[in-house]
Amino acid sequence: MDIRDLLLKDVMIMDMQATTKDEAIDELVHKYAEQGVINDEALYKQDIIKREAESTTGIGDGIAMPHAKDKAVNRATVLFAKSKDGVDFNALDGQPVHLFFMIAAPEGANNTHLAALAALSSLLIDPDLVAKLKNAQSPEEVQQLFGDAQAAKEEKEAKDAAAKAEKEAAAASTPTDQKRPYL
């Protein structure tokens, strides 16, 4: 999955105002409501809070990925938000969260929901990308950074696949049934 398909420019907050976890959830959910991503702000917020009660989505390294799938969601979307000062989001590492990726998926869209989580996670393990996102100034820049990261990931995967195929071809061409002389 290319995360840019869900990461829309009009659903980004480049300068979050929230200073607490509750305020952050309110601000993110409200942005979804403003943009028509959700049709029931109270229901979606309730499901986000319910998910947070199970375990924090503050995964560490200044990143949180709050998420919910429910009937309030009109279209699968990932909301990117950036907090300059950081928010105490009960992250696993105890550090403030600066980058938020709120994932909304319609009820029953398990594949989209899981694919978005996996796609984000696979890209956000790169500390250079995370640092660049913290300094991004515009939604266009955020999309460009994800585009570059996605292209680099795909290039690495292609090289790894080619190297594996070359290794397998070399192994297949090595004779394994050579005749052994009798002693």
Side-chain angles (χ1 to χ4, degrees):
M1 162 181 271
D2 188 335
I3 200 65
R4 291 172 299 167
D5 294 339
L6 301 178
L7 192 67
L8 309 176
K9 289 187 281 188
D10 62 337
V11 189
M12 291 190 191
I13 302 171
M14 298 307 295
D15 185 21
M16 275 185 75
Q17 300 303 304
T19 59
T20 67
K21 183 174 185 173
D22 288 339
E23 289 174 0
I25 291 171
D26 285 342
E27 190 171 346
L28 297 168
V29 170
H30 187 68
K31 182 68 169 182
Y32 266 158
E34 281 181 344
Q35 296 300 319
V37 172
I38 58 173
N39 56 43
D40 187 334
E41 197 168 338
L43 175 61
Y44 189 74
K45 179 181 174 182
Q46 173 186 324
D47 286 342
I48 288 290
I49 290 170
K50 180 180 174 186
R51 171 59 188 86
E52 287 296 322
E54 292 173 14
S55 66
T56 184
T57 58
I59 60 172
D61 294 326
I63 300 168
M65 289 194 273
H67 54 277
K69 55 184 189 302
D70 66 30
K71 62 185 178 184
V73 178
N74 294 324
R75 68 180 192 266
T77 308
V78 174
L79 185 158
F80 170 81
K82 186 175 79 144
S83 170
K84 186 176 89 172
D85 296 327
V87 175
D88 180 357
F89 209 77
N90 300 328
L92 295 173
D93 63 1
Q95 297 301 309
V97 170
H98 294 273
L99 301 176
F100 293 85
F101 298 89
M102 181 175 270
I103 303 168
E107 193 171 46
N110 291 339
N111 290 345
T112 301
H113 182 248
L114 294 175
L117 279 168
L120 276 170
S121 298
S122 71
L123 295 174
L124 293 172
I125 59 171
D126 178 358
D128 291 335
L129 174 60
V130 172
K132 289 176 183 174
L133 287 168
K134 287 179 181 177
N135 292 314
Q137 298 299 310
S138 70
E140 293 80 12
E141 187 178 355
V142 171
Q143 285 191 320
Q144 182 64 50
L145 289 169
F146 273 104
D148 294 348
Q150 184 71 34
K153 179 182 174 227
E154 289 169 3
E155 183 179 327
K156 182 186 181 314
E157 289 172 350
K159 284 181 182 176
D160 290 350
K164 181 180 177 187
E166 188 176 302
K167 187 176 181 179
E168 289 172 354
S173 67
T174 303
T176 56
D177 58 353
Q178 295 175 352
K179 294 182 180 179
R180 295 184 185 191
Y182 291 103
L183 300 173

